[in-house]
Amino acid sequence: YEQRMVDCILRDAASQLESSGASSIYSIYFGGGTPSLCAPSTIHSIIHGLCKLATLSADAEITLEANPSSSTDQKLREFKQAGVNRISLGVQSLRDDALKLLNRDHTRADSLRYR
């Protein structure tokens, strides 16, 4: 499943790069649908594939959206090794009552452990 997703993303990126005439990438954003649930190797495959399609700027920002409840220290380290250099943590609130109302599966304490 994840390899098919990688292939589709890279085909789309190749098409977008060709139609835009862009030859450099300055930012990659993995967002929507909790991409942190993917294996770090999948994220690495996408980054590596994009590098074959265009020049990745040396100071490119590579961001991954993650939820506090599905992010372990080990998995975050693996994403860093895969090339991610910024995490966008999905913290909708720091009030436990609001998180419960929003049906979120993390708590204030879960969110704050990444300070």
Side-chain angles (χ1 to χ4, degrees):
Y1 160 79
E2 288 191 18
Q3 186 56 53
R4 287 194 325 237
M5 180 181 68
V6 169
D7 295 342
C8 287
I9 288 170
L10 293 176
R11 269 195 309 275
D12 185 56
S15 175
Q16 295 294 328
L17 287 164
E18 183 180 337
S19 66
S20 70
S23 60
S24 297
I25 297 173
Y26 299 94
S27 177
I28 300 172
Y29 191 89
F30 294 98
T34 317
S36 60
L37 294 177
C38 289
S41 60
T42 299
I43 299 300
H44 177 266
S45 293
I46 294 169
I47 295 169
H48 183 73
L50 290 171
C51 288
K52 290 180 178 180
L53 298 173
T55 302
L56 183 63
S57 173
D59 61 348
E61 185 175 273
I62 303 175
T63 303
L64 179 84
E65 281 186 5
N67 283 333
S69 60
S70 63
S71 302
T72 64
D73 293 343
Q74 177 62 34
K75 195 161 188 187
L76 293 176
R77 277 191 292 278
E78 291 172 9
F79 283 126
K80 183 176 181 180
Q81 291 171 347
V84 173
N85 57 23
R86 182 175 178 270
I87 295 290
S88 176
L89 203 55
V91 179
Q92 288 73 26
S93 176
L94 291 175
R95 291 181 39 207
D96 285 333
D97 60 330
L99 290 168
K100 186 175 180 177
L101 179 69
L102 294 169
N103 201 30
R104 302 304 297 179
D105 62 356
H106 63 274
T107 64
R108 177 181 193 276
D110 292 334
S111 300
L112 293 177
R113 73 185 176 109
Y114 294 105
R115 290 190 286 164

